[in-house]
Amino acid sequence: MTRFTWTMYIVLAVGLAAGTVVTITRWFRRRILADYARRFDLEVPEELESRLRRRAGAPFTATCLGGLVGLTAGAVISALVIPPPDYSRQVPPVDPSTAVMIVTALSGGVIFQVVTAVALALHRPTGRRVARSTTPRLSDYVSGVERSAGWIVVCAAVILLVSIAVAERSGALHNPVIEEESVFGSMGAFFAYVSIGGLIVGSLLSRVVLHGPQPAGSSTELAWDDALRAQTLRGLVGLPLTWGIYSLLQSFAEIMIGSTWHPRALAYLFVVMALAACAATVGYLYSTRRSVSDRYFRRRLWSTEKLAAR
Amino acid sequence: MILTIDPDDRTAPYEQLRQQLITAISSGELAPGTKLPTVRRLAADLGIAPNTVARTYLELDREGLIETRGRQGSFVARREQAQQPDEARRAADAYAQLIRRLNLDDTTALGLIRSALGGS
């Protein structure tokens, strides 16, 4: 591994370890629960408070711990198996060690988070039990905008990569830097692969979460289960979106760096792309703003049921 | 609609579940074509034996209130014309029990039915 990779590992490992410790504290979990209660507009019954605190806070701990475990596993694999990158080339390729650590850290965080969320949901209350007479679907927890945004962005990233490769082959790219290396080995391509993996893994893990039972002793407890499920599912759906955006930005940057196009045309193109990206981001953030997306599950699943609200 | 099982209730869990589903289907809260939870899922959520849920679904299927389509699951049945006589028969049984409880004679009972039918 290179010095940069080791430094990155140490910084991330310290951050994730600190995150694990902080998220275990009662103070943190109380704050998270209070924040959730306000955002989801749900009361916290006294008899459920300690269990809800654990269910609200544990996924954060699991994400940090899982990320740390994955990161360390990635570092071990990189140190033992992966050769250092070849920096004699004009454009350094993606450092495989960095790529492996990013992927293993992400994977570890997501897997630990989902396993924790599912395990904590398996509590068996005694006494009275309630259940829904229908089985909720992903569309009851995550809005259509959020569900489709990830797919759209990932497809756009893949289409952009293929377009760059075709343009490079036909000589239309005017970028001698890109012609030196394979488009599909670039950093933009790496982020696109991670986002595709995120789509696939996210879909599989979403099914695991959705098919899990929802044992509850009251409507309020069932609503809390729905709220925490919605958080987990929205996180799974949002992950490929984030990496797809990184891929698009990285690929555009790689096109522009070293390009021999007319500078004014390039500048105009950059401004148009930036404005389009801003408009798309503002539109997405507005349609998924917290007040709307946090209570989306309530509108879908609890609009006709009486529920104790704050 | 939220289903509830109360272990302190004298009514057996099977009967509690069955009555709630009948009420929900009759009132239209569970619309025709609505997919019900799987046996395992509903049993796990309510903390009752899967056989209890399976028995409930079987009874409701026999009564024509739900349709079980093999691996696809169980759905609220679409109310065909042929099912109406069963409903009418059940309503008549309930009315007869009420008449006996009120100690009314058959003539009075039939007269009430005729005036109700004539008025609607």
Side-chain angles (χ1 to χ4, degrees):
Chain A
M1 295 205 310
T2 62
R3 187 178 294 178
F4 168 77
T5 313
W6 273 116
T7 307
M8 192 189 80
Y9 168 73
I10 290 167
V11 167
L12 285 176
V14 168
L16 289 170
T20 303
V21 169
V22 166
T23 54
I24 271 177
T25 61
R26 203 166 175 155
W27 165 83
F28 175 85
R29 292 186 173 191
R30 268 215 178 111
R31 286 202 61 168
I32 287 293
L33 183 59
D35 183 47
Y36 279 177
R38 183 182 43 80
R39 281 162 55 186
F40 304 141
D41 192 24
L42 290 172
E43 73 160 22
V44 181
E46 206 180 306
E47 66 274 16
L48 297 179
E49 204 246 337
S50 71
R51 191 146 41 84
L52 286 175
R53 224 184 316 122
R54 195 165 52 244
R55 281 195 66 184
F60 288 90
T61 310
T63 304
C64 291
L65 185 61
L68 181 60
V69 168
L71 184 74
T72 306
V76 168
I77 293 169
S78 300
L80 293 177
V81 172
I82 297 175
D86 178 9
Y87 286 111
S88 63
R89 301 166 64 181
Q90 182 173 351
V91 173
V94 176
D95 179 1
S97 302
T98 309
V100 167
M101 288 203 298
I102 290 174
V103 171
T104 52
L106 274 179
S107 307
V110 168
I111 290 170
F112 271 52
Q113 184 197 18
V114 171
V115 168
T116 301
V118 171
L120 287 175
L122 293 179
H123 161 79
R124 295 280 181 264
T126 53
R128 185 171 166 267
R129 294 282 283 270
V130 302
R132 195 172 278 114
S133 54
T134 54
T135 305
R137 297 168 294 183
L138 184 62
S139 56
D140 292 317
Y141 294 106
V142 185
S143 67
V145 171
E146 289 182 275
R147 278 183 286 124
S148 54
W151 287 92
I152 291 170
V153 168
V154 171
C155 287
V158 170
I159 289 170
L160 179 62
L161 278 179
V162 171
S163 304
I164 293 172
V166 167
E168 188 261 325
R169 283 259 171 95
S170 65
L173 206 53
H174 302 284
N175 192 327
V177 170
I178 288 187
E179 283 159 12
E180 273 199 34
E181 61 160 18
S182 164
V183 170
F184 297 107
S186 64
M187 187 65 99
F190 167 69
F191 286 132
Y193 302 148
V194 172
S195 63
I196 291 169
L199 272 181
I200 296 169
V201 170
S203 297
L204 293 172
L205 291 178
S206 294
R207 289 167 69 96
V208 170
V209 172
L210 280 170
H211 288 151
Q214 293 185 278
S218 64
S219 297
T220 302
E221 192 175 349
L222 184 57
W224 267 107
D225 193 275
D226 284 333
L228 296 171
R229 267 192 172 196
Q231 285 296 99
T232 304
L233 290 168
R234 289 177 61 213
L236 287 172
V237 163
L239 204 57
L241 170 66
T242 310
W243 289 107
I245 290 174
Y246 285 165
S247 172
L248 283 170
L249 292 174
Q250 184 69 32
S251 297
F252 275 124
E254 284 165 2
I255 293 173
M256 293 195 176
I257 292 170
S259 175
T260 58
W261 259 9
H262 195 285
R264 185 171 286 185
L266 211 56
Y268 286 149
L269 180 63
F270 180 77
V271 168
V272 167
M273 278 169 19
L275 286 173
C278 283
T281 304
V282 167
Y284 177 76
L285 289 175
Y286 179 77
S287 60
T288 59
R289 61 196 183 279
R290 261 196 179 179
S291 59
V292 168
S293 53
D294 280 346
R295 299 183 192 181
Y296 174 82
F297 77 94
R298 284 200 67 156
R299 290 194 298 280
R300 292 282 299 206
L301 297 171
W302 294 96
S303 58
T304 55
E305 302 292 346
K306 288 197 175 65
L307 197 60
R310 285 167 57 84
Chain B
M1 190 218 162
I2 300 296
L3 302 167
T4 307
I5 296 293
D6 187 352
D8 295 330
D9 194 330
R10 282 176 152 189
T11 314
Y14 151 76
E15 190 57 34
Q16 289 183 53
L17 179 61
R18 182 174 159 274
Q19 283 302 327
Q20 287 175 66
L21 285 173
I22 288 174
T23 304
I25 293 170
S26 304
S27 65
E29 258 189 281
L30 284 177
T34 304
K35 188 170 192 283
L36 297 175
T38 61
V39 167
R40 279 186 191 278
R41 172 67 188 263
L42 191 55
D45 286 351
L46 291 174
I48 56 180
N51 280 346
T52 304
V53 178
R55 180 184 164 196
T56 307
Y57 280 8
L58 189 61
E59 284 294 321
L60 293 176
D61 194 323
R62 282 195 190 133
E63 290 174 23
L65 291 171
I66 70 172
E67 296 170 326
T68 300
R69 301 175 198 165
R71 290 176 69 91
Q72 288 180 31
S74 299
F75 299 78
V76 176
R78 303 201 183 272
R79 311 299 294 278
E80 306 288 352
Q81 291 291 111
Q83 291 170 354
Q84 286 171 6
D86 288 333
E87 276 187 66
R89 201 172 302 119
R90 277 197 293 275
D93 288 341
Y95 181 64
Q97 286 175 16
L98 176 64
I99 293 299
R100 295 288 169 262
R101 229 176 17 249
L102 294 174
N103 282 326
L104 296 174
D105 56 43
D106 291 0
T107 310
T108 308
L110 289 170
L112 288 169
I113 291 284
R114 283 198 193 94
S115 61
L117 286 170
S120 60

